[in-house]
Every structure is written in C-alpha cells, then in structure tokens.
Amino acid sequence: MEIRLNCENCDIPLLNNSKEAMICTFDCTFCKDCVDTILKNVCPNCGGGFEKRPTRPKELLYKYPPSDKKILKPVNMEKFQQTLNKFKKIMPSDR
C-alpha cells in the first residue's frame, strides 16, 4: 500500500498517522472532509467507495516509507457529476 501524504483534491497534508486520510481500493487518497462533503463517498478516479486509511507501524516506516510522489488532481465537478449521479445511491460493495 502506498501512503500518500496529501489529499488529491485540496492538498491538505495527510501524514502516516492522520485520522483524516481516506483511500479507495486503488490507494486514491483524499481527506475525510472532501470524501464526505464533495465526493459523497464516490472516488472520482474509479467510482469506488472510501475507507479510513490504516496507519503503517512506526517501526516499518524506515523500511517502507510513505510515497514521495505528490498527486494533486482537484476534482472537476462538472466532469465528476455524471460519476457521482451514477454511484452515490449505490453501496460501494454493490458498485
């Protein structure tokens, strides 16, 4: 699993131990606020749902450090609206 250190939408920092980091099945990473208020639990990249990102144990951070690549792709709401409308009323496990 990648540990991405920022929200792809708003760029807020999401350190390894962040309680605000949410991921989809492909490690797309967003903050809880964006997931809840903008994305409505629909990943703009794959249409999947989000779960809280687990924390990597401190003793493994040296051997398996967080990702050093920054992904910043603010959501284009006009393009995302079609995906959101398609999936927002369907449970992630049923998409």
Side-chain angles (χ1 to χ4, degrees):
M1 172 192 297
E2 282 187 52
I3 301 288
R4 298 180 185 168
L5 298 177
N6 67 297
C7 173
E8 290 182 28
N9 184 58
C10 72
D11 202 26
I12 189 171
L14 297 170
L15 301 178
N16 175 58
N17 62 350
S18 174
K19 294 180 183 354
E20 300 299 311
M22 305 291 286
I23 59 170
C24 78
T25 189
F26 293 103
D27 285 340
C28 299
T29 304
F30 294 87
C31 68
K32 185 164 176 31
D33 187 49
C34 285
V35 167
D36 292 344
T37 62
I38 297 170
L39 304 176
K40 309 294 185 197
N41 199 30
V42 176
C43 179
N45 302 317
C46 69
F50 290 95
E51 296 290 335
K52 182 187 176 305
R53 182 184 70 196
T55 300
R56 182 158 297 153
K58 289 179 185 178
E59 62 270 8
L60 295 176
L61 284 173
Y62 181 74
K63 186 173 182 179
Y64 304 102
S67 176
D68 61 355
K69 70 179 175 187
K70 185 176 194 170
I71 298 177
L72 182 59
K73 299 186 302 188
V75 176
N76 177 328
M77 287 307 293
E78 196 172 301
K79 288 176 71 176
F80 176 58
Q81 197 62 50
Q82 184 177 3
T83 303
L84 182 60
N85 290 341
K86 181 178 179 180
F87 293 120
K88 70 180 177 183
K89 293 184 180 178
I90 302 171
M91 293 295 296
S93 60
D94 296 329
R95 292 182 193 159

